[in-house]
Amino acid sequence: MQEEVQKHTQRIYKAAKSKEHTLGDKVKEILIEIFIIVFAVTLSISLHSWSEHKHQQEEVKVFLENLKNDLQNDVKSIDIEKEAYKKSNMDYEKILALTPHQLDSIYKSKNKVEFPIYSHGPKMNIGNFEGFKSSGKIGYIEDEKLKQKILNYYQIYVPAINEVDKYYNDFLFKCFDKMIENADKSEQEMYADPKFKKTLEFLVKLGNNNIRVYDKNTKPLTIELIKEIEKELNK
């Protein structure tokens, strides 16, 4: 392109210096050469912009396809974690249901009440999103509504689900603290202790709350985003 511009510029210079042409012919020839230069430059810029835009949209397509796979895996992780919460609650509720008489019977027979330890939290896949965002390419997504949904999902809802799981796990450690505080008591006395039982009851309530968060918020939002991405990919 630079060589072409130089070639036509030289022609303009020669036309301006020519003694064989009238002033009108010179002006006409100069205007033609200027038009050719402007047209060539404009065409070159347009082609470059088109090529760059095409490349950007190809990157967006790959990103959305990877994001769709991540979200589908997130749905599976959410379902697995939801079932894990249900199992945790069942095991803790069994402990809460033990009467003093049952506890006495268990320990007299030299058995023990096992306290299950379950920390929770689905492993949400955020690598593709973070990589695309940090590279400054998130603006390549031309559908503004889809872009905002993706940003909201990863910057608001994913941190929110991590927060409710963290709160549950923090409270689980409060149960461990209660065990340590009651280290001078027998296990039978600890499991019968009203404060310990109340702490365990609250842990079960948190588990049920997190199941509701998964069912009512996280999973529906994830499925909705998958559908929006599929719609964009099928355009």
Side-chain angles (χ1 to χ4, degrees):
M1 175 52 63
Q2 186 177 355
E3 290 179 359
E4 286 295 315
V5 172
Q6 286 177 344
K7 182 173 71 174
H8 289 286
T9 302
Q10 287 172 356
R11 287 182 180 177
I12 291 173
Y13 179 77
K14 286 180 181 179
K17 292 290 185 180
S18 175
K19 295 180 180 179
E20 299 175 0
H21 296 84
T22 65
L23 179 61
D25 290 337
K26 290 181 181 181
V27 171
K28 183 179 177 181
E29 190 170 342
I30 289 170
L31 288 175
I32 290 172
E33 295 299 332
I34 290 173
F35 174 79
I36 291 171
I37 291 171
V38 171
F39 177 78
V41 171
T42 303
L43 180 61
S44 175
I45 292 172
S46 298
L47 289 173
H48 176 74
S49 297
W50 175 81
S51 177
E52 186 176 7
H53 178 263
K54 184 181 177 183
H55 177 68
Q56 289 173 354
Q57 293 313 299
E58 286 172 353
E59 287 189 293
V60 168
K61 184 179 178 181
V62 172
F63 166 67
L64 291 178
E65 286 172 345
N66 289 335
L67 204 65
K68 176 186 169 184
N69 291 333
D70 285 348
L71 292 166
Q72 288 172 334
N73 289 328
D74 286 347
V75 171
K76 293 176 184 176
S77 294
I78 289 167
D79 286 337
I80 291 170
E81 200 58 41
K82 187 176 72 175
E83 293 306 312
Y85 265 118
K86 288 179 179 178
K87 186 179 186 312
S88 298
N89 280 357
M90 285 177 60
D91 289 343
Y92 294 138
E93 284 168 344
K94 286 178 183 177
I95 294 174
L96 287 168
L98 291 172
T99 64
H101 176 73
Q102 289 172 321
L103 285 168
D104 187 56
S105 177
I106 289 169
Y107 285 99
K108 277 184 177 178
S109 61
K110 305 299 182 184
N111 289 319
K112 283 189 173 184
V113 176
E114 294 295 333
F115 186 85
I117 300 172
Y118 301 112
S119 62
H120 288 284
K123 303 302 179 188
M124 308 297 272
N125 298 284
I126 63 172
N128 282 312
F129 167 76
E130 289 295 340
F132 203 68
K133 187 189 75 169
S134 62
S135 66
K137 297 177 181 179
I138 202 76
Y140 292 175
I141 301 173
E142 294 181 334
D143 187 324
E144 190 63 30
K145 288 184 179 179
L146 176 60
K147 181 170 67 178
Q148 289 305 317
K149 283 184 178 180
I150 291 171
L151 289 170
N152 287 341
Y153 180 82
Y154 284 99
Q155 294 183 333
I156 297 175
Y157 298 111
V158 169
I161 194 68
N162 291 335
E163 191 62 28
V164 296
D165 290 320
K166 180 180 179 299
Y167 192 56
Y168 177 92
N169 292 328
D170 287 347
F171 209 84
L172 176 62
F173 280 97
K174 290 184 184 297
C175 291
F176 300 154
D177 290 339
K178 289 291 180 184
M179 291 179 179
I180 295 170
E181 289 172 12
N182 288 282
D184 57 337
K185 298 179 182 178
S186 67
E187 283 190 354
Q188 182 178 350
E189 289 177 300
M190 182 190 69
Y191 285 122
D193 180 69
K195 290 183 179 179
F196 180 80
K197 291 173 77 73
K198 185 59 72 174
T199 304
L200 197 54
E201 282 175 8
F202 196 73
L203 186 65
V204 171
K205 287 181 180 179
L206 283 175
N208 285 328
N209 174 72
N210 290 5
I211 290 171
R212 284 193 296 272
V213 170
Y214 288 168
D215 274 340
K216 303 296 182 183
N217 295 327
T218 312
K219 187 175 177 180
L221 286 168
T222 308
I223 293 173
E224 180 186 348
L225 187 52
I226 290 171
K227 290 179 180 177
E228 291 291 330
I229 288 172
E230 288 176 339
K231 191 187 300 182
E232 180 68 17
L233 289 171
N234 291 330
K235 283 183 179 179

